[in-house]
Amino acid sequence: MSLEAKGLTMEDEGYISAFRSFEGEVYENYIYEKLLRYAANEPRIKSFIIKGPHKQRTRAQSDALSVSWKGQIIYRARHKEIGEFDGLLFTDKELYFVEMTLVKSVSNLKKRLRKKRALLEVLFPRYQVKALLVLNEGATGTSDLPPYASVWLTKPYSARHILERLSANSLRAPMIRVESSKIAHAEELKVAAFKYYATLSWMLRSLRGKDPIDLEFFRRAATQRYHDIYTKVYIGYLSVDDFRIIAPDLNWNGSNASRVVVAIEKDHSGGYFLTYFIRHSSKKLDNVVIGLGGSKVAKKDPFGITLTEMNHLDKVMDETFALTLEQHTALQNVILKLTH
């Protein structure tokens, strides 16, 4: 509505982007209300997490599941959010996390699904963790989703009528709260202990137990589960001078970087690749991936979880984790042959 007040129309790029975000939030809220009523009456569902306007506002807790001030189900490591869930449903043996989205293709959701599933497997080890995706009719890529993911399709959705009602200051119908004995509160659930930064250190030390990497440890199911949570595993660091040889096209103007942190990440096709983190200053962090066309640089959030991981690595990653160019080449050759 503020965009309309500024004179932007539906043809303006800024308006289109803002409206898509608004429509996505409306869709999520609408589906969540439907899901609550379904869960309350479905015998197989034993409990479900309450959130949004149905839940009294509380502060998000650290190292625990909780509902944030914005009404979202989240998990925090210390003060940083590492997982958010649109919904959580429990049966006797299964835990479903719900993803509600208006995306036209789900191919880019695989990494997010892996991360959320892995985190819940650590927090709730006695449950089989599965995903439920609620998508708009016409979404592509659903046949390529992993076996643990189920899909519900809705008819094509538009929130235009909601925006028009809000713009006209129409009277709102009173909210109808769901009453059910199945309602569970996130902060009351007992979760298994998960020490985010201690596990990060353990992974780093264990992976470097052999030169250049302990492949047996890397291939373990537990290691791969944590890999999905962190989205990458750190392996060591290169000197800036050595990395300039590997990536000669990078611009280092104004950089105070003292080293380049090396990590392994999963790709969408089932393989692995090396990714690099360059901390130019206290709040300026770049993520670099090197491909056939040269170096691709992505700016990382100065307040995000990756920057806090860099702070932690500064304390635990001493000179014994330095990689030579020969070790880097050997590592690259090893991971190119691996699949997940």
Side-chain angles (χ1 to χ4, degrees), residues 41-111:
N41 294 290
E42 170 54 54
R44 289 175 300 167
I45 296 175
K46 304 306 177 184
S47 63
F48 55 87
I49 305 296
I50 203 77
K51 68 168 192 173
H54 296 275
K55 167 76 176 169
Q56 185 178 356
R57 279 193 168 191
T58 56
R59 293 287 180 186
Q61 300 177 22
S62 292
D63 301 317
L65 267 183
S66 58
V67 175
S68 70
W69 189 250
K70 293 181 179 179
Q72 297 298 322
I73 304 168
I74 65 169
Y75 182 85
R76 277 189 171 187
R78 294 183 190 170
H79 60 290
K80 294 293 183 183
E81 181 183 314
I82 62 168
E84 179 183 314
F85 306 94
D86 294 344
L88 291 176
L89 309 171
F90 294 82
T91 69
D92 285 329
K93 297 180 180 179
E94 298 163 326
L95 164 54
Y96 286 87
F97 66 94
V98 187
E99 192 81 11
M100 314 165 195
T101 177
L102 286 173
V103 294
K104 294 179 179 178
S105 171
V106 298
S107 8
N108 292 332
L109 292 180
K110 291 179 183 177
K111 183 176 177 181

Side-chain angles (χ1 to χ4, degrees), residues 108-146:
N108 292 332
L109 292 180
K110 291 179 183 177
K111 183 176 177 181
R112 188 195 306 178
L113 295 178
R114 286 201 309 262
K115 176 172 182 171
K116 293 185 178 187
R117 184 183 186 228
L119 178 58
L120 290 173
E121 284 178 332
V122 169
L123 299 178
F124 298 96
R126 81 174 187 88
Y127 285 94
Q128 282 184 290
V129 180
K130 298 184 177 182
L132 171 61
L133 280 72
V134 186
L135 309 169
N136 234 193
E137 239 174 34
T140 62
T142 55
S143 60
D144 296 326
L145 288 170

Side-chain angles (χ1 to χ4, degrees), residues 46-305:
K46 304 306 177 184
S47 63
F48 55 87
I49 305 296
I50 203 77
K51 68 168 192 173
H54 296 275
K55 167 76 176 169
Q56 185 178 356
R57 279 193 168 191
T58 56
R59 293 287 180 186
Q61 300 177 22
S62 292
D63 301 317
L65 267 183
S66 58
V67 175
S68 70
W69 189 250
K70 293 181 179 179
Q72 297 298 322
I73 304 168
I74 65 169
Y75 182 85
R76 277 189 171 187
R78 294 183 190 170
H79 60 290
K80 294 293 183 183
E81 181 183 314
I82 62 168
E84 179 183 314
F85 306 94
D86 294 344
L88 291 176
L89 309 171
F90 294 82
T91 69
D92 285 329
K93 297 180 180 179
E94 298 163 326
L95 164 54
Y96 286 87
F97 66 94
V98 187
E99 192 81 11
M100 314 165 195
T101 177
L102 286 173
V103 294
K104 294 179 179 178
S105 171
V106 298
S107 8
N108 292 332
L109 292 180
K110 291 179 183 177
K111 183 176 177 181
R112 188 195 306 178
L113 295 178
R114 286 201 309 262
K115 176 172 182 171
K116 293 185 178 187
R117 184 183 186 228
L119 178 58
L120 290 173
E121 284 178 332
V122 169
L123 299 178
F124 298 96
R126 81 174 187 88
Y127 285 94
Q128 282 184 290
V129 180
K130 298 184 177 182
L132 171 61
L133 280 72
V134 186
L135 309 169
N136 234 193
E137 239 174 34
T140 62
T142 55
S143 60
D144 296 326
L145 288 170
Y148 63 80
S150 302
V151 176
W152 290 356
L153 294 175
T154 67
K155 292 180 180 178
Y157 182 80
S158 170
R160 177 63 56 188
H161 65 294
I162 301 293
L163 182 60
E164 290 171 354
R165 286 181 59 190
L166 291 172
S167 301
N169 290 320
S170 302
L171 289 175
R172 298 184 185 183
M175 179 181 168
I176 302 174
R177 295 188 180 275
V178 173
E179 303 290 340
S180 173
S181 59
K182 299 180 181 181
I183 289 175
H185 297 275
E187 65 274 12
E188 295 174 0
L189 294 179
K190 291 183 178 180
V191 298
F194 174 38
K195 301 300 181 184
Y196 189 89
Y197 296 98
T199 303
L200 194 72
S201 301
W202 167 70
M203 293 270 287
L204 172 67
R205 293 191 181 101
S206 300
L207 286 166
R208 287 301 298 277
K210 294 181 181 178
D211 186 23
I213 184 175
D214 187 334
L215 274 181
E216 183 183 348
F217 178 81
F218 182 76
R219 288 193 178 106
R220 289 179 187 173
T223 305
Q224 289 300 304
R225 184 175 297 121
Y226 287 121
H227 193 166
D228 288 334
I229 293 174
Y230 295 103
T231 71
K232 68 273 185 192
V233 290
Y234 297 107
I235 204 72
Y237 69 89
L238 288 161
S239 71
V240 171
D241 287 341
D242 282 349
F243 194 65
R244 285 175 185 267
I245 297 171
I246 296 169
D249 55 339
L250 288 181
N251 184 350
W252 296 85
N253 289 340
S255 175
N256 294 318
S258 58
R259 60 186 182 178
V260 178
V261 175
V262 183
I264 302 171
E265 196 168 328
K266 293 181 178 182
D267 65 21
H268 294 301
S269 62
Y272 296 89
F273 63 94
L274 292 182
T275 183
Y276 309 89
F277 295 90
I278 308 173
R279 189 171 185 171
H280 299 288
S281 63
S282 60
K283 292 293 183 183
K284 187 180 179 184
L285 179 67
D286 284 350
N287 179 203
V288 180
V289 175
I290 301 171
L292 296 176
S295 305
K296 290 185 179 179
V297 181
K299 305 292 183 186
K300 299 301 290 184
D301 181 354
F303 302 101
I305 190 72

